[in-house]
Amino acid sequence: MRDPNIVLVNLIKNAQKEEYLFTDLYRILYNPEFYLKAYAKIQGKDGNMTSGTDGEMIDGFNMDRVSRLIDSLRDQSYQPKPARRKMIPKKSGGQRPLGIPSFVDKLLQEVLRTILEAIYEGRFSGNSHGFRPGKSCRTLLSKIKLECTGVKWWIEGDIKGFFDNIDHHILIGILRKRIRDERFLALIWKLLRAGYVEDFVFKESFSGTPQGGTLSPLLSNIYLNELDSYMENMAKSFNKGNERKRNPEWKRLESRRYKLKRKLDENWDKLSKDSRKAIVTERAQLLNEMQRIPSRNSMDEGFRRLKYFRYADDFIVGVIGSKADAVKIKGAIKTFIQEKLKLELSDEKTLITHGQDRAKFLGYEIYVAQDSNSTRRNVLGIKQRNISGHVMLTVPMDRIERFLKSKKALGFDKNGNWVSIHRKGLTNLSDAEIIEAYNSEIRGLYNYFNLAHDVSQKLHAARYIMKYSCLKTLANKHKSSTKKLLGSEAYRLNGSFGAYYKTKSGKKFKEFHNAPLTRQEPVQKDDATVDLIHNFVIGNKITSLEQRISANKCDCCGRTDGKFEVHHVRKLKDLKGKKAWERVMIARQRKTMVLCVLPNGQGCHHKLHAGKLD
């Protein structure tokens, strides 16, 4: 069998050819090495310890399961199991469906995802940042900040129930533009039509992609790449002019300064000291006036720009032009999405917002700074105009409130003011673990919002609530009070609040989060510009887990003959370390262990589940 990395690199190279058609992808699915790599990729996710409708999960993985899957693909008898559907809460309120595929289906989806990513990733738009290697919410927000200076109108895009309404016929038609392997396409069709089970009732899936499957995000990007291409073509026809015209008043002042400079240079020896001083003073005054007015005509009708950005099914368009232009663009997008993609824009959520008002995108508020007459000095002491026209990112307070509520750290007094509350669910943890839980949540919030201009102000308020929630949780655990804890030497070190804990090397102190909450600069470089093949090879080295499975050796007894399975645990911290195999997993910091399987049930894996392995 060919090395999967070589196969995928060849796919990437062929995908770079504009007219290349892929005709023999299905045979790749016969290569067991692909499934081993797919397993190593997905095995660390906690969701794999949840069973699908067939009752199987990742624990007990072995190459026999892979062989049976490959055999069913060879004779085309493979039929995916319906996903087990459960409802999970959305950050914005309400619930969304999550499909839990069987483990074998999830494994196959990961192999298909790897193949399709090799074909399509290099063809995706640079304005698409969701579910892509080297791209994220952060890279997209950075791009908006760097590229949308002077935007006059925002169009906030929202597609109704996108993942549930993807048209299967259109999706297969899009795939068929590059893939001419009907067996491969039929397999994807089977996965799309597998259906789901909800409340023990099977329901067919006539549209949409299964949320929860590893293949779904990539298929959604392939589908919406049609919209990305349409918007790039629209931008080409909409954009007009190389730059805005000069502001006539600013140009007049510039001309006057230039003439004064020539007069000074040409007549220096002839001018008196007072005359020279007067000219220098006048030039300084003219510069001061120039810095207080725009150098360009912001209403220049000969200059237009359209900027489009998408993350998954959310998109935003920045328009430098009139409101009529923005209305026309919104209408064109709505028509394209309806007619070509069989989807629908939400009229209530697809808004046209003035550039200086706050549009909402990816949890941030985005607006363009108003024209300002003020000036400031930069780090070199040189005076320059203020931030007029620059894109500003801010943290919405409702997001902070929602975050604190979701962590059960926030309550309200009788006047509706914020108050910290204790978290009963954490009181079973050690003091240091409680503090680390809060620290981790604060770090996550900061890492997401640290591009915002007001991140320090908003997150200091959130951290204050979290700190006193932590204090109240500890006080509740120890039947004490926050005042006593703050005054206790057991919870302080050099003036900082925290908790002591024991390690093999001695007693250590876990400090409550006290790092600076400063704004970070936007990402200047788009990681996706790195060579795709180089990126792929670096990220697809053989893992330790792949090597251990291929070695056919039991991690417990050392047996090298017979069959082997992989034992999984959800979290290492759940292990108590009382048994030898638990101590081995804890010491190696691994959630997996390759164990032997014997026909008489005497293998290490059987013994472990029977509680007889020590």
Side-chain angles (χ1 to χ4, degrees):
M1 289 293 179
R2 294 181 69 193
D3 183 339
N5 288 345
I6 295 174
V7 175
L8 293 171
V9 166
N10 286 334
L11 291 178
I12 292 171
K13 288 179 178 179
N14 288 328
Q16 293 170 351
K17 302 171 186 175
E18 193 71 35
E19 303 299 326
Y20 190 87
L21 297 176
F22 294 88
T23 58
D24 198 12
L25 297 177
Y26 196 78
R27 284 200 311 153
I28 297 174
L29 303 176
Y30 302 158
N31 187 340
E33 295 295 321
F34 268 90
Y35 298 91
L36 195 55
K37 292 193 76 65
Y39 166 73
K41 176 81 173 177
I42 67 175
Q43 56 84 25
K45 298 176 181 177
D46 289 345
N48 289 315
M49 296 299 289
T50 304
S51 61
T53 53
D54 59 356
E56 292 190 5
M57 50 187 180
I58 196 170
D59 186 54
F61 171 82
N62 56 54
M63 293 310 290
D64 283 348
R65 291 168 81 173
V66 171
S67 297
R68 290 194 296 270
L69 173 57
I70 291 174
D71 288 343
S72 69
L73 290 169
R74 283 183 188 276
D75 61 22
Q76 298 185 58
S77 63
Y78 167 78
Q79 183 60 47
K81 303 288 192 300
R84 182 163 66 85
R85 174 172 280 194
K86 63 182 289 187
M87 304 303 291
I88 60 172
K90 295 169 68 174
K91 290 183 179 179
S92 57
Q95 293 186 315
R96 69 178 179 88
L98 178 70
I100 303 173
S102 72
F103 171 69
V104 170
D105 294 340
K106 196 180 293 185
L107 189 67
L108 176 59
Q109 284 189 43
E110 175 60 23
V111 174
L112 291 170
R113 186 201 65 78
T114 307
I115 293 169
L116 288 173
E117 185 177 84
I119 295 171
Y120 283 97
E121 175 58 33
R123 311 298 298 179
F124 284 152
S125 165
N127 296 318
S128 165
H129 287 243
F131 313 123
R132 294 185 61 193
K135 290 179 177 280
S136 62
C137 293
R138 185 179 184 82
T139 60
L140 179 47
L141 290 162
S142 296
K143 200 168 186 183
I144 291 174
K145 182 167 178 57
L146 294 170
E147 295 185 10
C148 287
T149 300
V151 157
K152 297 300 178 185
W153 301 95
W154 302 107
I155 303 172
E156 305 169 51
D158 186 272
I159 300 173
K160 276 187 180 178
F162 168 68
F163 287 97
D164 290 332
N165 293 306
I166 289 176
D167 187 288
H168 294 167
H169 292 88
I170 292 176
L171 176 57
I172 295 298
I174 293 169
L175 291 170
R176 195 170 274 128
K177 291 178 182 178
R178 299 226 69 186
I179 298 171
R180 297 296 171 84
D181 184 336
E182 290 304 317
R183 289 191 301 170
F184 188 85
L185 295 176
L187 179 59
I188 293 176
W189 184 270
K190 280 183 179 181
L191 290 165
L192 292 171
R193 291 299 182 101
Y196 60 92
V197 172
E198 187 173 21
D199 296 329
F200 304 102
V201 177
F202 171 75
K203 297 180 182 179
E204 294 185 86
S205 50
F206 297 107
S207 64
T209 58
Q211 295 186 56
T214 56
L215 187 58
S216 182
L218 179 58
L219 291 178
S220 70
N221 270 338
I222 291 171
Y223 199 83
L224 284 181
N225 192 55
E226 300 294 300
L227 174 62
D228 300 341
S229 298
Y230 174 74
M231 293 304 298
E232 286 177 1
N233 290 329
M234 182 190 289
K236 288 176 184 177
S237 61
F238 179 83
N239 292 350
K240 184 179 177 183
N242 294 322
E243 58 182 18
R244 290 186 177 94
K245 291 179 181 177
R246 289 286 186 185
N247 179 353
E249 177 61 16
W250 191 93
K251 194 172 181 180
R252 183 187 67 79
L253 294 171
E254 182 190 40
S255 177
R256 174 63 180 158
R257 282 194 83 236
Y258 175 72
K259 289 177 181 177
L260 287 172
K261 185 177 186 304
R262 281 191 61 185
K263 181 178 179 181
L264 196 63
D265 292 342
E266 293 174 1
N267 300 285
W268 181 265
D269 295 332
K270 300 177 184 177
L271 294 171
S272 65
K273 186 176 180 180
D274 289 341
S275 297
R276 293 175 196 162
K277 185 177 180 181
I279 292 174
V280 170
T281 301
E282 186 177 354
R283 291 189 79 245
Q285 290 172 345
L286 289 169
L287 178 61
N288 191 44
E289 289 183 53
M290 289 169 65
Q291 289 176 330
R292 291 178 182 275
I293 62 175
S295 62
R296 303 280 177 179
N297 179 8
S298 61
M299 303 306 292
D300 180 8
E301 295 182 359
F303 181 81
R304 300 189 311 190
R305 286 291 183 272
L306 185 156
K307 296 287 185 180
Y308 162 83
F309 309 92
R310 180 176 66 81
Y311 189 94
D313 57 332
D314 293 324
F315 65 88
I316 192 167
V317 181
V319 179
I320 298 177
S322 65
K323 185 174 183 179
D325 291 331
V327 171
K328 186 177 179 181
I329 290 167
K330 176 185 172 181
I333 295 171
K334 183 175 183 178
T335 300
F336 177 83
I337 285 177
Q338 283 180 338
E339 294 181 356
K340 301 297 183 182
L341 301 180
K342 304 300 182 196
L343 297 169
E344 186 179 355
L345 276 184
S346 169
D347 288 328
E348 312 86 61
K349 296 181 180 179
T350 304
L351 308 174
I352 295 177
T353 307
H354 192 277
Q356 293 178 359
D357 294 331
R358 297 181 186 236
K360 292 188 176 181
F361 189 61
L362 298 181
Y364 278 75
E365 289 178 335
I366 305 174
Y367 69 98
V368 175
Q370 297 182 13
D371 292 339
S372 172
N373 291 328
S374 63
T375 58
R376 62 187 175 91
R377 293 190 182 276
N378 63 19
V379 292
L380 299 176
I382 301 170
K383 188 186 288 187
Q384 57 185 204
R385 68 177 67 250
N386 223 320
I387 55 175
S388 172
H390 291 196
V391 174
M392 309 293 282
L393 304 175
T394 60
V395 185
M397 280 309 295
D398 63 333
R399 284 299 298 261
I400 297 293
E401 181 176 327
R402 200 155 67 230
F403 169 82
L404 293 172
K405 281 181 177 177
S406 72
K407 302 304 178 185
K408 296 182 172 56
L410 179 67
F412 300 91
D413 64 18
K414 61 183 180 181
N415 297 318
N417 299 316
W418 286 10
V419 291
S420 301
I421 58 176
H422 80 274
R423 294 165 65 176
K424 189 176 180 180
L426 297 180
T427 53
N428 290 329
L429 302 177
S430 70
D431 291 356
E433 286 175 332
I434 291 172
I435 288 174
E436 179 53 33
Y438 280 92
N439 287 353
S440 176
E441 291 162 356
I442 294 169
R443 283 195 301 268
L445 185 68
Y446 170 69
N447 288 341
Y448 188 78
F449 282 113
N450 62 20
L451 290 175
H453 286 79
D454 59 352
V455 62
S456 180
Q457 172 197 347
K458 299 286 180 64
L459 263 63
H460 269 107
R463 185 164 66 180
Y464 178 86
I465 294 291
M466 294 288 275
K467 180 177 180 179
Y468 277 86
S469 171
C470 180
L471 277 164
K472 289 181 178 181
T473 301
L474 290 168
N476 181 268
K477 175 184 175 180
H478 296 292
K479 307 295 187 239
S480 183
S481 68
T482 58
K483 185 176 181 180
K484 288 181 180 178
L485 290 182
L486 281 174
S488 171
E489 290 299 318
Y491 290 92
R492 301 195 71 80
L493 178 66
N494 299 326
S496 297
F497 162 63
Y500 288 94
Y501 63 100
K502 293 180 180 179
T503 68
K504 290 182 179 179
S505 58
K507 193 161 68 169
K508 293 188 177 181
F509 187 75
K510 173 66 69 176
E511 183 182 9
F512 187 85
H513 191 282
N514 198 32
L517 299 173
T518 54
R519 178 172 65 91
Q520 300 295 307
E521 290 303 313
V523 178
Q524 296 287 333
K525 185 177 179 181
D526 191 344
D527 292 340
T529 58
V530 178
D531 179 68
L532 280 172
I533 295 175
H534 173 77
N535 239 1
F536 174 81
V537 171
I538 293 299
N540 283 273
K541 294 180 180 178
I542 296 175
T543 66
S544 165
L545 182 57
E546 289 174 75
Q547 291 174 335
R548 286 190 289 131
I549 295 172
S550 300
N552 287 332
K553 182 179 179 181
C554 180
D555 286 341
C556 189
C557 69
R559 181 185 292 273
T560 57
D561 61 309
K563 295 183 179 181
F564 301 87
E565 292 180 351
V566 184
H567 175 68
H568 285 256
V569 296
R570 190 182 296 272
K571 293 179 180 177
L572 281 174
K573 70 176 186 178
D574 294 337
L575 300 178
K576 305 301 181 184
K578 294 181 179 180
K579 295 183 179 292
W581 67 267
E582 291 182 332
R583 291 193 291 273
V584 169
M585 295 186 83
I586 293 169
R588 294 177 179 176
Q589 289 292 297
R590 290 176 182 160
K591 295 194 290 183
T592 59
M593 197 173 194
V594 179
L595 299 174
C596 60
V597 179
L598 299 179
N600 57 6
Q602 293 303 303
C604 290
H605 200 199
H606 288 126
K607 288 181 180 178
L608 185 150
H609 282 287
K612 298 178 180 178
L613 184 67
D614 192 10

